Amino acid sequence: MQLETLIAEPWDDFELLDSGHGRKFERYGPYRFIRPEPQALWAPALADWPADGEFVGGLEEDGGGRWNLAPHVPPSWPLARGPLKFHAANTNFRHLAFFPDMAAHWDWMAARLGPDTSVLNVFGYTGVGSLACAQAGAAVTHVDASKKAVASAQANQQLSGMGAAPIRWLTDDALKFMRREVRRGRRYDGIILDPPKYGRGPDGEVWELYRDLPELVGCARSLLDADSRYLVLTVYAIRLSAVAIAELVKAHFADLGGTISAGEMTIREGGGRLLPTAIFVRWER
């Protein structure tokens, strides 16, 4: 299997300015932040990183840590990428309320959708991927276990001026919801899976990536058919291999035909260097 590299390029409201020595330096709209980045093994290109805030402490595997922010940084602020608009915020989990490396998926998915198509976005977080699909004409079912994340996604829908878009926002346990959809005989044209390493559902359900991913992929296969367009799966657990995830998807999707691609997701720095962020697998017809 030949692995691919997906590259998220900078845009007006986001840029990876530099990285190195286990950290990265990014711009989100008018604000610049420093965050831990274990994969930045090299030396920074810039001598100085003048930032509006830094996330310090905590390990990538265990979470924790805190933001040290300048007083002028607001609780949230709007960003845009083309017609999509969404809020950025300094979350307790070191993220900025969306994942900029997913931009390569947003464009790829939107190009394969149109009117009368349907998409399921599981572990949908703050909904930027759901909005990209809805903007392409699809009816979207967005599922996340966090009420706060779903509320943020709905706020992003309003910010984008897409209040009339056909999006169902559901607070639910991802795996339980997909099991119910399989029993109902539902189908989708596209499915987006972005599972965390660990998580909890709204009723205390426990998600463990290494244990539950095979069933999740199996449910996704049951919700797609020969007329479906794609599956997009991203995994941020560094211990897993893109080849291993691709072989899992191949095993479940062999009867549908189509093509499978896999590899690393990256963000391009201003100087051209690529910073790896996650692994991905795509199935498409």
Side-chain angles (χ1 to χ4, degrees):
M1 177 181 298
Q2 184 172 356
L3 299 181
E4 301 180 12
T5 301
L6 291 187
I7 302 174
E9 303 287 355
W11 67 86
D12 288 348
D13 272 352
F14 170 77
E15 184 179 7
L16 176 60
L17 300 167
D18 195 12
S19 63
H21 292 164
R23 301 188 303 164
K24 57 187 173 184
F25 183 38
E26 304 161 291
R27 178 179 60 82
Y28 290 80
Y31 306 108
R32 299 180 175 198
F33 301 104
I34 300 170
R35 295 193 287 159
E37 180 47 71
Q39 300 209 80
L41 304 176
W42 42 82
L46 303 176
D48 187 31
W49 288 3
D52 299 287
E54 180 175 1
F55 192 93
V56 297
L59 300 174
E60 189 72 28
E61 292 280 328
D62 301 327
R66 69 187 187 282
W67 282 102
N68 290 336
L69 299 173
H72 61 268
V73 177
S76 67
W77 62 97
L79 300 179
R81 184 176 184 271
L84 288 180
K85 297 180 181 178
F86 42 93
H87 294 92
N90 301 94
T91 74
N92 293 335
F93 301 99
R94 83 179 62 207
H95 307 305
L96 273 293
F98 75 102
F99 295 95
D101 55 334
M102 293 291 288
H105 285 319
W106 303 336
D107 296 339
W108 186 88
M109 293 185 298
R112 285 156 176 79
L113 296 171
D116 301 320
T117 57
S118 60
V119 171
L120 172 63
N121 187 5
V122 181
F123 303 101
Y125 196 38
T126 55
V128 185
S130 295
L131 295 177
C133 293
Q135 201 160 63
V140 179
T141 299
H142 174 107
V143 181
D144 198 279
S146 166
K147 291 182 180 180
K148 184 176 181 180
V150 172
S152 296
Q154 292 173 309
N156 287 336
Q157 180 183 20
Q158 298 304 316
L159 183 66
S160 287
M162 297 175 61
I167 306 175
R168 287 199 303 159
W169 303 107
L170 302 177
T171 302
D172 205 341
D173 177 75
L175 199 48
K176 287 174 65 175
F177 175 81
M178 292 185 73
R179 289 168 182 157
R180 292 198 303 271
E181 290 289 87
V182 171
R183 291 196 296 269
R184 293 167 183 146
R186 288 290 304 274
R187 69 158 308 268
Y188 292 90
D189 293 295
I191 295 181
I192 311 165
L193 304 177
D194 187 15
K197 183 176 179 182
Y198 297 108
R200 287 193 176 274
D203 296 321
E205 304 92 340
V206 176
W207 164 266
E208 293 184 10
L209 180 70
Y210 299 98
R211 181 192 68 193
D212 297 326
L213 184 60
E215 184 182 359
L216 186 76
V217 172
C219 287
R221 164 61 189 89
S222 297
L223 297 174
L224 297 167
D225 61 22
D227 294 321
S228 297
R229 311 291 179 88
Y230 63 76
L231 169 79
V232 170
L233 168 62
T234 58
V235 177
Y236 286 83
I238 297 173
R239 281 175 51 201
L240 281 174
S241 156
V243 173
I245 302 297
E247 293 295 345
L248 171 65
V249 173
K250 280 174 61 178
H252 282 281
F253 281 69
D255 63 314
L256 275 188
T259 59
I260 292 176
S261 58
E264 293 198 50
M265 296 167 60
T266 67
I267 298 177
R268 192 187 303 279
E269 262 180 37
R273 181 166 52 194
L274 298 181
L275 177 66
T277 59
I279 59 178
F280 79 93
V281 179
R282 290 171 173 169
W283 167 85
E284 66 170 316
R285 287 189 61 89

